[in-house]
Amino acid sequence: TTTHSGFSELILESGGLTTIISATGLTDNTVTPQHYAFTRDSSNGWTIYQNGVSQATATDITSLGSNSARDSTLDGTNNGATTGVTGKISNAWDFDGSNDSVHIADDSILIDDSDITLSTWVKRDTDNTVDIVFSTFDQTSDTKQEDMILRIESNDQLNCGKRTADSSTDYDKAISSNTITADGNWHHLVCVYDDSVANEQTSLPTDSLKLYIDGTLVDNTPADSDWGLGDDGTNGQYVGKSALSGTAFDGKIDQFI
């Protein structure tokens, strides 16, 4: 999760009843958004990370219980990406920029007009190439499929596109002037779509789509643009490649949520 709501203690609970892990004395998050992640190892040991740095550990004595167990039917299918490489937090996936990808089981929330936030850490291997971090495509009888895409352009600018059932063009895009280069560093990317702000308008208004790089808001004014994507007749959600073309990601992706 990424937040700037302002708090000094972060707590993870199971069903609001059992405190599993907590961290205090966190970096101020009222001015600059901070990125938080929770990880659990095979021994049910939990860790809280703030901006990729471990803050606290605790053991989950309840193992979350069957009601909160991971739903394996939603697991992605790895198509060639190298696993177990060093990531921003623990391990990451390494994509070769050619044909590696992770296919996510079809889930309507990734496609429809619901509120959604995409958040991930990336580390590029090559500059001046189109790198697809995430893309989804919904094949329907409607000519305006509800899609979303997070990609880095050949000029190294980050781009997030969202198309709704009401969009007047193929995509409304929020594009930043900030660049994400192969500088050897991890970068945190966030794209937020707020359907209540979009309010069924044919062109997405200001603040309906927001783009963050390393905790800084870089764009919140979507611009109409036709990417000319066609309909391949299938549904698809992918990490590391386009759902409609062979364009892929060259580098490492970690903590995609």
Side-chain angles (χ1 to χ4, degrees):
T1 183
T2 303
T3 181
H4 51 87
S5 57
F7 55 78
S8 60
E9 182 176 13
L10 193 63
I11 300 173
L12 177 64
E13 297 180 329
S14 174
L17 299 176
T18 304
T19 298
I20 297 173
I21 178 174
S22 65
T24 59
L26 300 174
T27 301
D28 172 67
N29 58 326
T30 58
V31 177
T32 303
Q34 307 291 318
H35 174 260
Y36 301 98
F38 300 88
T39 63
R40 180 175 62 169
D41 60 27
S42 59
S43 300
N44 291 324
W46 284 89
T47 303
I48 289 178
Y49 291 87
Q50 182 181 47
N51 297 328
V53 179
S54 174
Q55 299 294 325
T57 57
T59 299
D60 167 28
I61 60 173
T62 66
S63 299
L64 287 184
S66 59
N67 291 334
S68 298
R70 178 178 59 83
D71 185 352
S72 61
T73 65
L74 300 179
D75 285 355
T77 300
N78 181 15
N79 299 308
T82 303
T83 61
V85 300
T86 301
K88 177 63 177 181
I89 301 174
S90 188
N91 295 329
W93 298 62
D94 195 353
F95 299 81
D96 65 3
S98 176
N99 54 9
D100 291 352
S101 68
V102 174
H103 179 235
I104 301 174
D106 291 340
D107 188 346
S108 61
I109 196 172
L110 298 174
I111 297 176
D112 67 14
D113 289 349
S114 301
D115 297 341
I116 187 171
T117 297
L118 299 178
S119 172
T120 190
W121 291 90
V122 301
K123 186 177 183 180
R124 299 182 73 195
D125 286 343
T126 307
D127 291 331
N128 304 121
T129 60
V130 176
D131 279 332
I132 306 293
V133 179
F134 171 80
S135 70
T136 180
F137 182 82
D138 179 23
Q139 189 278 325
T140 69
S141 58
D142 193 333
T143 58
K144 292 291 183 287
Q145 290 79 18
E146 296 91 338
D147 315 337
M148 195 163 186
I149 190 167
L150 184 63
R151 59 188 261 171
I152 302 170
E153 304 293 349
S154 58
N155 62 0
D156 299 327
Q157 290 182 340
L158 181 64
N159 183 309
C160 182
K162 173 64 179 176
R163 177 168 56 183
T164 72
D166 306 294
S167 293
S168 59
T169 61
D170 269 1
Y171 276 87
D172 292 287
K173 300 197 297 183
I175 188 168
S176 88
S177 58
N178 298 48
T179 57
I180 303 295
T181 61
D183 58 4
N185 296 317
W186 285 94
H187 296 282
H188 186 232
L189 315 180
V190 174
C191 183
V192 181
Y193 170 68
D194 189 334
D195 191 57
S196 65
V197 177
N199 196 28
E200 300 182 356
Q201 299 184 50
T202 56
S203 295
L204 294 182
T206 299
D207 287 336
S208 61
L209 197 64
K210 296 181 179 180
L211 191 60
Y212 296 84
I213 299 177
D214 294 330
T216 299
L217 176 66
V218 294
D219 200 347
N220 64 338
T221 308
D224 285 346
S225 180
D226 185 346
W227 281 354
L229 295 181
D231 181 349
D232 72 345
T234 61
N235 293 333
Q237 297 90 52
Y238 291 91
V239 176
K241 73 176 287 289
S242 169
L244 289 179
S245 71
T247 306
F249 185 86
D250 186 11
K252 300 175 181 64
I253 297 177
D254 194 8
Q255 300 297 306
F256 179 86
I257 54 176

